[in-house]
Amino acid sequence: MLRRSHTATIEQNESYTENFDTEPYECGWASEATWFVRVINLAEGTSMKFIPQISPDGLFWCDKEGTEPVHISEETLYACELNNFGSWLRLRCVLDGNNPRIKLMVHLALKE
Amino acid sequence: MSNSLYADPRLSKYNPLKRILFFDDFDEGVNGWCTLIGNYNDSLDDIKPMFRDLRPAQLSNCTFFDIGTHGSVSGEYALKLATRPRPNHSCVLIKRMTFAKRSLVQLETYFTYKAEAVFDDKLKGSLPFDGNYHPSEAMFGDFTLGNDINEGPDGKRYFCSLRYVNTDPEGNYVRKWFYKTSVQVTTKMQIDGAPIPKDLHAQSPDDWKEVPGGDFALCHNEVPTKINWHYLRWQFDLETRRNVELQINDRVMDLRDIPVPAYEETYYSCDRLLNFFFDVRTHLPVRNFLFFDSVLVSVDW
């Protein structure tokens, strides 16, 4: 049997102007995950950092220990790899700048 | 199908027609149940309202904050649909097939549903917790199952859609099954000038009528973290372009006389289309969930 894999589109061409968390995604079956954040539009002066978070239940969250925040400053693709996580994942996204605005695609690529 | 089904406990809980078209055990993956997305040309910006951000499939072991993991009926995982915590937001998953004969088609599944547990007193319902009744029961909106059938340039396109309304948008209990009386507003209709719908499946939120015999509550089971699986069997007929029956546990609703609206337009590029979808919708800033242990679709071709 080939190893199962699955890519979930977590943010589909969404725009944000303030800090946000991505929706909880349940993936206890996976042993490795890669977050892909593709920046479609980034308003002038805007930057963002994202921090992977984990949860046992989709309700209560903490930052993934040992994983550095990823800093976004241009319209390109960013990635962050995870393993040894609890059953739920999300990104904590922190915007910076005057009148910040970002449009993005977020994919979560999972492997058994 | 006959006694041979009992050789496989995974199948013996179903009553398929003579040919199993697919049996989706969600311990094995999502089996083709993917996010619905509206049509677009160059940019995702072109997707019409209501047909975007319909959320990804999840493989859930049905874990809750208080007891941990429930698991599914058989094995560990269920297909999970989850809305955003935003009023009138839906999660819609679709499985795309084509048909080899205009015949009976039957979908069976074991499903359960919940509103997410919340700890915000502002979101509590009008009735207080009394040890049996729990306010979260009124935080679940509705769910819809249906198909998308297109016979081709020489035939009709139509959707058979059936909706269980737990509460209306004002939060009042309804607890009834409905069928729709107008077509889903397609991208083509909107490009041709149709107004933006407020209901993903019909031209107006009012275009739904009660299914005869569909007035009953499901098994919510008191708190937001206990799930009970329900048997569902839905049969429709590609020859008559009608629903046939909907069964929930022991309750069987005869749908043969219910009209199914068809499109006036002709649709190309989707010849012999046979799609199945599940939809869950919240009326509150509370995530609503729909879970499926497995899905079996059978046909008589």
Side-chain angles (χ1 to χ4, degrees):
Chain A
M1 182 73 184
L2 295 173
R3 290 173 71 197
R4 292 171 183 82
S5 64
H6 183 79
T7 299
T9 299
I10 305 296
E11 296 289 346
Q12 186 187 70
N13 202 41
E14 291 292 323
S15 293
Y16 289 93
T17 57
E18 56 188 26
N19 297 346
F20 65 99
D21 302 321
T22 61
E23 283 296 289
Y25 195 80
E26 198 170 349
C27 49
W29 60 271
S31 58
E32 58 181 272
T34 303
W35 284 103
F36 289 102
V37 176
R38 180 164 67 87
V39 181
I40 299 169
N41 290 131
L42 192 66
E44 191 173 341
T46 298
S47 63
M48 190 185 91
K49 66 177 179 181
F50 64 86
I51 302 99
Q53 290 198 307
I54 56 174
S55 169
D57 49 28
L59 291 175
F60 301 99
W61 296 86
C62 61
D63 292 351
K64 175 78 168 79
E65 192 174 342
T67 302
E68 294 297 312
V70 177
H71 293 268
I72 285 175
S73 56
E74 56 184 299
E75 294 171 355
T76 188
L77 179 66
Y78 296 82
C80 177
E81 297 172 354
L82 298 180
N83 52 34
N84 299 321
F85 48 83
S87 292
W88 304 68
L89 296 176
R90 75 175 184 185
L91 293 179
R92 181 164 67 88
C93 300
V94 181
L95 284 166
D96 194 22
N98 290 325
N99 300 314
R101 182 178 179 84
I102 189 169
K103 181 194 277 188
L104 38 71
M105 296 286 287
V106 177
H107 299 290
L108 183 57
L110 301 155
K111 286 182 184 171
E112 199 171 22
Chain B
M1 302 292 280
S2 61
N3 291 338
S4 60
L5 280 178
Y6 294 104
D8 186 341
R10 296 184 309 161
L11 296 177
S12 66
K13 58 181 179 288
Y14 289 115
N15 297 292
L17 302 173
K18 71 180 184 185
R19 183 187 305 280
I20 294 175
L21 184 60
F22 55 83
F23 171 55
D24 296 338
D25 180 343
F26 298 111
D27 287 317
E28 304 296 330
V30 298
N31 286 280
W33 291 91
C34 63
T35 308
L36 177 67
I37 188 169
N39 296 340
Y40 60 94
N41 188 10
D42 291 327
S43 169
L44 294 175
D45 293 340
D46 295 341
I47 301 171
K48 301 300 182 188
M50 301 291 295
F51 291 88
R52 52 185 298 281
D53 191 30
L54 295 173
R55 310 311 302 156
Q58 299 185 52
L59 293 173
S60 169
N61 58 8
C62 308
T63 293
F64 296 93
F65 82 97
D66 49 1
I67 66 157
T69 296
H70 246 284
S72 57
V73 176
S74 304
E76 187 79 0
Y77 292 101
L79 181 73
K80 177 181 175 182
L81 287 73
T83 69
R84 286 186 186 266
R86 180 190 302 162
N88 202 31
H89 185 266
S90 294
C91 173
V92 187
L93 300 184
I94 188 166
K95 177 154 177 161
R96 300 189 170 102
M97 302 287 291
T98 52
F99 62 84
K101 182 185 175 186
R102 287 181 57 185
S103 74
L104 287 176
V105 178
Q106 179 173 280
L107 181 149
E108 296 172 90
T109 186
Y110 284 79
F111 75 94
T112 190
Y113 69 105
K114 281 292 171 185
E116 188 172 54
V118 293
F119 307 96
D120 183 348
D121 286 341
K122 295 193 295 294
L123 292 170
K124 298 301 181 189
S126 55
L127 294 175
F129 175 67
D130 68 1
N132 171 219
Y133 174 79
H134 192 286
S136 73
E137 189 167 349
M139 294 179 188
F140 185 87
D142 57 52
F143 66 89
T144 306
L145 70 155
N147 60 23
D148 177 0
I149 310 296
N150 190 52
E151 295 162 359
D154 54 346
K156 296 283 190 186
R157 186 177 191 182
Y158 58 94
F159 290 54
C160 302
S161 300
L162 299 164
R163 173 176 287 171
Y164 183 78
V165 179
N166 183 58
T167 57
D168 65 21
E170 288 72 45
N172 305 303
Y173 279 118
V174 179
R175 293 169 167 161
K176 293 177 182 173
W177 285 92
F178 290 80
Y179 66 93
K180 68 177 187 176
T181 59
S182 67
V183 295
Q184 182 185 85
V185 180
T186 62
T187 304
K188 176 175 168 52
M189 289 168 67
Q190 292 190 63
I191 288 175
D192 291 345
I196 296 169
K198 294 191 172 90
D199 189 313
L200 206 150
H201 302 287
Q203 287 166 296
S204 164
D206 299 326
D207 292 347
W208 295 84
K209 287 188 174 178
E210 291 182 29
V211 171
D215 182 357
F216 55 87
L218 301 176
C219 180
H220 180 267
N221 197 353
E222 301 181 322
V223 297
T225 57
K226 297 178 181 176
I227 56 170
N228 287 72
W229 300 92
H230 299 66
Y231 174 65
L232 180 151
R233 182 180 65 86
W234 168 45
Q235 193 176 99
F236 56 91
D237 190 340
L238 298 176
E239 183 61 37
T240 63
R241 302 176 179 130
R242 292 288 181 107
N243 293 287
V244 179
E245 287 181 339
L246 176 64
Q247 178 177 349
I248 307 296
N249 292 329
D250 58 321
R251 295 178 170 100
V252 181
M253 292 158 268
D254 185 343
L255 309 175
R256 292 172 180 80
D257 294 331
I258 287 173
V260 174
Y263 288 91
E264 295 177 1
E265 300 85 358
T266 300
Y267 287 84
Y268 299 89
S269 90
C270 35
D271 199 70
R272 307 299 188 256
L273 187 81
L274 173 60
N275 290 347
F276 303 85
F277 71 81
F278 297 126
D279 172 321
V280 60
R281 179 172 65 162
T282 182
H283 296 315
L284 293 168
V286 177
R287 292 182 185 91
N288 279 192
F289 304 137
L290 196 56
F291 301 88
F292 296 90
D293 165 75
S294 51
V295 174
L296 188 151
V297 166
S298 55
V299 296
D300 69 351
W301 68 61

